[in-house]
Each structure stands twice: as C-alpha cells, then as structure tokens.
Amino acid sequence: LTPTRHPFRMFLLFALAQQKVFVAASDVLELGDSDFDDMVAEYETVLVEFFAPWCGHCQQLAPEYETAATKLKGTVSLAKVDCTVNSETCGRFGVNGYPTLKIFRNGEDFAAYDGPRSADGIVSYMKKQAGPSSVPLHNERDLDAFVNHFEASVVGFFSSADSSQMAEFLKASSAMRDSHRFAHTADLSLGLKHGVESDMVVLFRPPRLNSKFEDSLVKSEAVSIASLRQFIRDNVFGLCPHLTAENRENMRGRDLLVAYYDVDYLRNIKGTNYWRNRVMKVATQFQSQGLSYAVANRAEFQEELEEEFGLGPSDGGELPLITIRNREGHKYSMQEEFTRDGKSLERFLEDYFAGKLKRQVKSEAAPENNDGPVKVVVADNFEELVNNPSKDVLLEFYAPWCGHCKSLEPKYTELGEQLSANTHIVIAKMDATANDVPPTYDVQGFPTIFFVPAGQKDQPRKYEGGREVNDFLNYLKEVATHPLILEEKNKG
C-alpha cells in the first residue's frame, strides 16, 4: 500500500508517533502498585504526588508539577501515583485526599510535602531537600556569594568545627532545611565585618529588601533547635517582606496587610522599593499593634484578589491596592486611593484598629427554602446554622467537581432523612469553593467532614470514620449531646 493512496493512515501513524513522543517527554515518573517500592528506592530524594484524575486541584497542579520536574531533572526526581488504579500503594501511605504529596528518601516515607504548589515554588523547596542542609563557607567570597541571595540567609559563625554549638546548629539546619537557607563556618574572622566576635548565628535579610526602616541583619547567640526556630520565625520576614506564591504558606496564621502593585525585584528594584518604603514608613507607626505587612506582585495574585476581595484588573490603576486578612479569616480592603504621602493608609489602619471597617465575606446566596434533610450552609448563614450553641452539627465541606463528594451525596441525604426527627442535631453541607471557610476548619481535600458540638463551637472535631450511613449513625450515637431519634425507613 502506498502512502499517497492512504493519506488518513499516514496521518494516523503520524498522530500516534507524536503522541508517543509527547508521553515520553514527561519528566515525571509514573509509579504503581507493581513498581513503587523498587523505583522509589533507587533515588536518594524523590517527591511523589498521589492523585486522582477527576480531582480539580490535581488538574491545576499537573502543568506546574511537570514544569518543576523538568527544572529539577538531575537534582531531585518527581513522581506520581494514580490512586484510582493503585489503591494498595495509596492506602499503605494513608492517602485520603487529593493531591497528597510526600517526600521519600532512599525508599522511605520521610515527610509530608507542605510547600508551595507552583512550579518555581516546588523547585525552590525541593532544591533545599537535596545536598547538605547547611553549606560550608571557607572564605569571605563564599560568605558574600551565599548571603547575596533572593531569600534570607542564616549563617552560623563558630570558633571550632568540633564545637557543640556547631553540632547543634547543624541539627537545627537539618530540621528546618525545607523552609530556610543555612550555611556555617569554623572561621570567626569571616564575620568580623558584620560585627561577629564570638560564636553566634546571623540572619541576613535579602539585599533587595534592605531599607533604612530596619537592620539588614539580626544576631543570636542561642543555637538550640527550639531557640533558632523561634529566632528565625521572629525575624526572617522583617517589617515588610515580599509575599510570593512560594512563601505565602509560611505567612499564614498572622494578621497580614498586603500592598499589591507591580512588584518586580528582577527588573525594577528601585521602583518596587519606592512603594514598599511608603508602606514601611506608615507601618513603623503601628508596629506595636500586632499587624504584619508585605508587598506582592498584583498580577501573581490577581485571581485571588478578584475571587476573595472583588478587585478586578482595572481597580486602583497603577497605585497599590491594600488588603488585610486576619488570623480569624476576616478580610478588609482599603477603599480610598493610595496616596504617596501615606495619609490614606494611615486613615485605613486607624479605622481598622478602631474596629470601624466592614469586613468582606465571600458567600453564595442563602437558599430561600432550606427545609431539606441536609441543610445548605453558606458563609452568610454559617453563624446562624453551624454556630447555633444549642445544636450539634455534622458539616461536610465539598467541591462540586469532587467524585467522592458525589458518591457520598445519596448516603449523606439518607443520613439526614433518618435523623430528621432530631431537633438538636443538624446534618449540613457547604461548598468550600464558593464560600469563605472559617480558619478553625482545616479543609485540605474533599469531602472533609467535621462534627461541631453544641456549646463548643470553637472546637470542631474532624470526622475520620467510614462513609456509610451506619458509620455516621454509630459515630453520632457516641458524640451527640442528646440521644438520637431514628426515623424508620419506608418499607413500602
């Protein structure tokens, strides 16, 4: 058969060849039940993603993960396991939500990966997992090269390589290598120009963030793991750090004001620091009030600004947009235009600390009729339905695209029907993708279910049991404030 007489056949062969080339081009290892242990044992360090093809978060992560694998090729390997067809492996490592990422060392489950989910973030995080946890420095050139970095640097200066202080420092660096950069030297003279005269640890802030409003380095003579961890936590970000997708998780759990504008520390350091210095000048006036500050690239966080604060690409023009999110999850945005003299930011902060600002809430509309066996919770009725002090609440957080959530729905509805005669217990669900989830609820995957007892609304308990109707009933019989009344099933 000649190619010219069968053009479709030639096209098909070409398409298949292209597909084969595309698949082979992936730098992410695909592992399964049959080869997982043998393959992972071949690598000193490997990051493994346990995923499900239908999972929306997994689909979002996929291109970032592929890019990171290519950038890390030859340094750290990345792998993935499809849990819908490799349940034995996923079950063995306690995977109950997607995606779950774990770091393996020499074939052993070493630690959960809790770093960023962007390609650059994964690369930065995993590079810290490769090689020594602390870099040895031999001369001033080594020191200058190490601290002249985009991120903060933690350097231990010691008088002897055999000192107990250095041994403790190296233990601490191993424990915190995933979050920070460490280096050490046994030559104290390397630190003389920085005022180092005895054994100590110095935290160097990134040169791009040097400012007249704070010192460029901070010193500590304590080197135990606990004291170093506290020292770094208290000082690594400084007065006004650069918030990125890579470090945002480390900045959660605090009351945080962020100025969003065209932050670009690669091509426009001077212009970036022009606005940052204006934020810092105002921040120094409120330093004792417990609020943290940061600057961030607006384009990098535009989707979040739009979704969480209703701020579109054209809002504010080229001037910084100011938002606050506190540790309770309450959100505020500055309505007045940012002024170069900082006065509008001053007024905004004065109103914030005086409790005069109206918080923003992301919420679906509450249903007009909410009489079904499973109550629909949205952010606007959360207080009324879930935090009612007289009622126990079983609350499911779900995502509309989640396959496990769809499988659970008929069972969850039957549970609500069987408990419909109970006035002291509520079976409820909330779309966590369309409503603000209170920070006391740790929702990392779907579905996530909590029991919220009457009179203890600040202590929700994560439900870890089975997902059949009887599993829920047996659990509620044990924890419910009042004895359960069960509706008999209609046998007709």
Coordinates of all heavy atoms in Angstrom, one line a residue, residues 311-342:
L311 N -11.8 42.6 43.6 CA -10.9 43.6 43.0 C -10.5 43.2 41.6 O -9.7 42.2 41.5 CB -9.7 43.9 43.9 CG -10.1 44.5 45.2 CD1 -8.8 44.6 46.1 CD2 -10.7 45.9 45.1
G312 N -11.0 43.8 40.6 CA -10.7 43.5 39.2 C -9.4 44.0 38.7 O -8.8 44.9 39.4
P313 N -8.9 43.6 37.5 CA -7.6 44.1 37.0 C -7.5 45.6 36.8 O -6.4 46.1 36.9 CB -7.5 43.4 35.6 CG -8.4 42.2 35.7 CD -9.6 42.7 36.7
S314 N -8.6 46.3 36.6 CA -8.5 47.7 36.4 C -8.7 48.6 37.7 O -8.5 49.8 37.7 CB -9.6 48.2 35.4 OG -10.9 47.9 35.9
D315 N -9.0 47.9 38.8 CA -9.2 48.7 40.1 C -7.9 49.2 40.6 O -6.9 48.5 40.6 CB -9.8 47.8 41.1 CG -11.3 47.4 40.8 OD1 -12.0 48.3 40.3 OD2 -11.7 46.3 41.1
G316 N -7.9 50.5 40.9 CA -6.7 51.1 41.5 C -5.7 51.6 40.6 O -4.7 52.3 41.0
G317 N -5.8 51.3 39.3 CA -4.8 51.7 38.3 C -3.4 51.1 38.7 O -3.3 50.0 39.0
E318 N -2.4 52.0 38.6 CA -1.0 51.5 39.0 C -0.7 51.7 40.4 O 0.4 51.4 40.9 CB 0.0 52.3 38.1 CG -0.2 52.0 36.6 CD 0.9 52.8 35.8 OE1 1.7 53.5 36.4 OE2 0.9 52.6 34.5
L319 N -1.6 52.3 41.2 CA -1.3 52.5 42.6 C -1.5 51.2 43.4 O -2.3 50.3 43.0 CB -2.3 53.6 43.2 CG -2.1 55.0 42.6 CD1 -3.2 55.9 43.1 CD2 -0.8 55.6 42.9
P320 N -0.8 51.1 44.5 CA -1.0 49.8 45.3 C -2.4 49.6 45.8 O -3.1 50.6 46.2 CB -0.1 50.1 46.5 CG 1.0 51.0 46.0 CD 0.2 51.9 45.1
L321 N -2.9 48.4 45.8 CA -4.2 48.0 46.4 C -3.8 47.4 47.8 O -2.9 46.6 47.9 CB -4.9 46.9 45.6 CG -5.4 47.3 44.2 CD1 -6.0 46.1 43.5 CD2 -6.5 48.4 44.4
I322 N -4.6 47.8 48.8 CA -4.3 47.4 50.1 C -5.4 46.5 50.7 O -6.6 46.8 50.6 CB -4.2 48.6 51.1 CG1 -3.1 49.6 50.6 CG2 -3.8 48.2 52.5 CD1 -1.7 49.1 50.5
T323 N -5.0 45.3 51.2 CA -6.0 44.4 51.8 C -5.4 43.9 53.2 O -4.2 44.0 53.4 CB -6.3 43.2 50.9 OG1 -5.1 42.3 50.9 CG2 -6.7 43.5 49.5
I324 N -6.3 43.5 54.0 CA -6.0 42.9 55.3 C -6.8 41.6 55.4 O -8.0 41.6 55.1 CB -6.3 43.8 56.5 CG1 -5.4 45.1 56.5 CG2 -6.1 43.0 57.8 CD1 -5.7 46.0 57.6
R325 N -6.1 40.5 55.8 CA -6.7 39.3 56.2 C -6.1 38.9 57.5 O -4.9 38.7 57.7 CB -6.4 38.2 55.2 CG -7.2 36.9 55.5 CD -6.6 35.7 54.7 NE -6.7 35.8 53.3 CZ -7.8 35.4 52.6 NH1 -8.8 34.7 53.2 NH2 -7.9 35.5 51.3
N326 N -7.0 38.8 58.6 CA -6.5 38.4 59.9 C -6.6 36.9 60.1 O -7.1 36.2 59.3 CB -7.2 39.3 61.0 CG -8.7 38.9 61.1 OD1 -9.1 37.8 60.7 ND2 -9.4 39.8 61.8
R327 N -6.1 36.5 61.3 CA -6.0 35.1 61.5 C -7.3 34.4 61.7 O -7.4 33.2 61.6 CB -5.1 34.9 62.8 CG -5.6 35.3 64.1 CD -4.5 35.4 65.1 NE -3.5 36.4 64.8 CZ -2.3 36.5 65.4 NH1 -1.9 35.6 66.2 NH2 -1.5 37.5 65.1
E328 N -8.4 35.2 62.0 CA -9.7 34.6 62.0 C -10.3 34.5 60.6 O -11.4 34.0 60.5 CB -10.7 35.5 62.9 CG -10.5 35.4 64.4 CD -9.2 36.2 64.9 OE1 -9.0 37.3 64.3 OE2 -8.5 35.7 65.7
G329 N -9.6 34.9 59.6 CA -10.1 34.8 58.3 C -10.9 36.0 57.8 O -11.5 36.0 56.7
H330 N -11.0 37.1 58.6 CA -11.8 38.2 58.3 C -11.0 39.1 57.3 O -9.8 39.2 57.4 CB -12.1 39.1 59.5 CG -13.0 38.4 60.5 ND1 -13.2 38.8 61.8 CD2 -13.7 37.2 60.4 CE1 -14.0 37.9 62.4 NE2 -14.3 37.0 61.6
K331 N -11.7 39.6 56.3 CA -11.0 40.3 55.2 C -11.5 41.8 55.1 O -12.7 42.0 55.2 CB -11.2 39.6 53.9 CG -10.7 38.2 53.9 CD -11.1 37.4 52.6 CE -12.6 37.3 52.4 NZ -13.0 36.5 51.3
Y332 N -10.5 42.7 54.7 CA -10.8 44.1 54.6 C -10.0 44.6 53.4 O -8.9 44.1 53.1 CB -10.5 44.9 55.8 CG -11.1 44.3 57.1 CD1 -10.4 43.3 57.8 CD2 -12.3 44.7 57.6 CE1 -10.9 42.8 59.0 CE2 -12.8 44.2 58.8 CZ -12.1 43.2 59.5 OH -12.6 42.7 60.6
S333 N -10.6 45.6 52.7 CA -9.8 46.2 51.6 C -9.9 47.8 51.7 O -11.0 48.3 52.1 CB -10.2 45.8 50.2 OG -11.6 46.1 50.0
M334 N -8.9 48.5 51.4 CA -8.9 49.9 51.5 C -9.6 50.5 50.3 O -9.2 50.3 49.2 CB -7.4 50.5 51.6 CG -7.3 51.9 51.9 SD -5.6 52.5 52.2 CE -5.1 52.8 50.6
Q335 N -10.7 51.2 50.6 CA -11.5 51.8 49.5 C -10.9 53.1 49.0 O -11.0 53.4 47.8 CB -12.9 52.1 50.0 CG -13.6 50.8 50.6 CD -13.7 49.7 49.5 OE1 -14.2 49.9 48.4 NE2 -13.3 48.5 49.9
E336 N -10.2 53.9 49.8 CA -9.6 55.2 49.4 C -8.4 54.9 48.6 O -7.6 53.9 48.8 CB -9.3 56.0 50.7 CG -8.8 57.4 50.4 CD -8.5 58.2 51.6 OE1 -8.8 57.7 52.7 OE2 -8.0 59.3 51.5
E337 N -8.1 55.7 47.6 CA -6.9 55.6 46.8 C -5.7 55.8 47.6 O -5.6 56.6 48.4 CB -7.0 56.6 45.6 CG -6.0 56.4 44.6 CD -6.1 57.4 43.4 OE1 -5.7 58.6 43.6 OE2 -6.7 57.0 42.4
F338 N -4.7 54.9 47.3 CA -3.4 55.0 48.0 C -2.7 56.4 47.6 O -2.6 56.7 46.4 CB -2.5 53.9 47.6 CG -1.3 53.7 48.4 CD1 -1.2 52.7 49.4 CD2 -0.1 54.5 48.2 CE1 -0.1 52.6 50.2 CE2 1.0 54.3 49.0 CZ 1.0 53.3 50.0
T339 N -2.3 57.1 48.6 CA -1.6 58.4 48.4 C -0.1 58.3 48.7 O 0.3 57.6 49.5 CB -2.2 59.5 49.2 OG1 -2.2 59.1 50.6 CG2 -3.7 59.8 48.9
R340 N 0.6 59.1 47.9 CA 2.1 59.0 48.0 C 2.6 59.4 49.4 O 3.7 59.0 49.8 CB 2.8 59.8 46.9 CG 2.5 59.3 45.5 CD 3.0 60.1 44.4 NE 2.5 59.7 43.1 CZ 3.1 58.8 42.4 NH1 4.2 58.2 42.8 NH2 2.6 58.5 41.2
D341 N 1.8 60.3 50.1 CA 2.3 60.7 51.4 C 1.9 59.7 52.5 O 2.2 59.9 53.7 CB 1.7 62.1 51.8 CG 0.2 62.1 51.8 OD1 -0.5 61.0 51.6 OD2 -0.4 63.2 51.9
G342 N 1.2 58.6 52.1 CA 0.8 57.6 53.1 C -0.4 57.9 54.0 O -0.8 57.1 54.8

